[in-house]
Amino acid sequence: MVASSGLAEGKTPREGWSSRSAFILAAVGAAVGLGNLWRFPTLAGENGGGAFVLFYVGCVFLLGLPLVVSEIFIGRTGQDDAAGSIRKVAEKSGVSKAWAGFGLLGVIAAFLILSFYSVVAGWVLYYVGVLGGDFLGAIGSGDLFRGALPGESQEMIQGRMGDLFANPWLLLAMHAIFMGVTFTIVARGIGSGIETAATVLMPMFFILLVGITIYGAFVGNLTEAVAFLFTPDWSKLTPQVMNTALGQALFSLSLGVAGLITYGSYIKGSAGLGPTSVTIAFADTGVALIAGLMIFPIVFAVGLDPAAGPTLVFQTLPFAFQTMPAGALIGFLFFVLVLVAAVTSSISLLEVPVAWGIGEMGWSRPKSTMIFGGSAFLVGVACLLGYNVWSDVRLLGFWSLFAETDILDTIDGFTGKVMLPLGAFFTAIFVGWRADRKLVEEMTGLSGFWLSLWRFLIAWLCPLAVGFILVTGLFPEILGS
Ligand code: TRP
């Protein structure tokens, strides 16, 4: 840890990444997670494929990438929690400190996202258990390289998700374990733990992902999957679909909730933010598209409905592992690595409110972790009860957008469609119009053409496009549709 340069007035030295590549790895680790492997395929399926996917990719590079630069800029300049960092940039730029308010909005959003993120990660954990047990069985039978879940019918494999949802205690146990792990890592601080995990495990994850995708392409229906994912039917691009795609781009890049402000604040020394941000955006989008190419060939091969919703991913992958040579082993490994990807993301989600508690409330790290981790756990419990005991509850039932969504989907949808775009909008206005230009130039390391391009995107395109998508997505009546 290089903490010497981070001495803030009279406080203990603030923690920091050991190097620039450590920051990139941690940021990629935060970006790559259930957003890519679960949320992206789910939404691509629900929103009709091609048009959604291409619009999403457009959002990543035209709106997301400039915002990545902006959030890291704020954090790196401010060297404080989300609100504190914004306040410092405002101070140095001679504008109102009230801008820190959107930092608080982000803190609340990150907290809400964490609550359901942990529940979904709990499903992954359950599949680690299922496939781990199956792999032990393979060892026991002396056939180490057999496929997963031998002899299980399609109904049995798909039915497992329903059984899990009907069992609140099992859901609760998985959610508790996952939140416990997240909690433990964050309570220890930004140490070498996260960095090492990201360095070793993320490359391993990537290799396995590509391998399974190639395999799936052979056994599944690749042509149909590619057509579904990349042939746009623009008539499907309704305002709501655009809103969802924008929200997904922001979610996947960890934007709009001060995630990258917080991680950026642990950067010590210099960093060219352009290349760093491009790396994050490419790695993240690459993993999402590969995940789509892994899952949809199987969806079509086994005749599932692409619009099956949040259970889609879990109901398709086991089929690939069933027929795959050594599928029992690979399936087990795969879910372990998905879990790792989820952990490197969930810690960043918890870190946002925890850093806020430390910076703004003066709490110790353990206390702040306890307060936010504990309450996010409780909100998560409400989410998982929404699948059984509270399945009739509609949190925002008065609002047509959320009239039919269960608790988890409502929190997911509200944060993704409303809070993330709002956070992105304020970030763009703040950095594009209020932050001191010299400071921006100096701290982003951008110059010449790239600086001008970035400035145009962040000052004009982002606020206009995000504002338009947000307003028309939430109030489609405006367009008369
Ligand atoms: N990007 C992560 C994913 O795709 C989720 C995530 C981690 C996140 N940190 C965040 C989302 C901060 C918003 C803000 O799984």
Side-chain angles (χ1 to χ4, degrees), residues 17 19-32 190-191 194-199 202 254 259-260 263 266 280 344-345 347-348:
W17 308 112
S19 66
R20 181 179 139 153
S21 52
F23 165 71
I24 296 184
L25 273 168
V28 170
V32 174
I190 303 288
I194 300 175
E195 287 185 23
T196 322
T199 341
M202 293 312 285
S254 315
L260 286 173
Y263 264 29
Y266 299 115
I280 297 170
T344 55
S345 298
I347 50 182
S348 81

Side-chain angles (χ1 to χ4, degrees), residues 433-454:
W433 294 96
R434 309 305 293 152
D436 182 74
R437 288 186 164 226
K438 285 246 166 53
L439 185 67
V440 170
E441 248 170 83
E442 181 194 336
M443 297 307 275
T444 57
L446 290 177
S447 61
F449 169 75
W450 295 113
L451 179 65
S452 313
L453 177 64
W454 172 77

Side-chain angles (χ1 to χ4, degrees), residues 121-166:
W123 308 345
V124 178
L125 182 59
Y126 171 71
Y127 276 80
V128 168
V130 170
L131 288 161
D134 180 60
F135 180 55
L136 284 182
I139 298 177
S141 68
D143 188 2
L144 256 174
F145 299 106
R146 72 157 162 76
L149 312 170
E152 282 201 19
S153 66
Q154 183 162 349
E155 287 70 42
M156 284 167 83
I157 287 180
Q158 284 172 21
R160 195 167 266 122
M161 217 44 199
D163 297 345
L164 174 64
F165 279 12

Side-chain angles (χ1 to χ4, degrees), residues 1-8 12-18 79 266 268:
M1 262 200 311
V2 185
S4 51
S5 57
L7 275 175
T12 44
R14 232 170 151 263
E15 302 155 286
W17 308 112
S18 64
Q79 297 283 311
Y266 299 115
K268 312 290 171 193

Side-chain angles (χ1 to χ4, degrees), residues 29-37 110 113 117 248 250-260 284 341-342 344-346 348-349 352 420:
V32 174
L34 299 177
N36 313 60
L37 301 159
I113 292 175
Y117 203 87
Q248 172 58 18
L250 299 174
F251 184 97
S252 198
L253 291 168
S254 315
L255 285 170
V257 316
L260 286 173
D284 186 63
T344 55
S345 298
S346 67
S348 81
L349 283 164
V352 175
L420 264 49

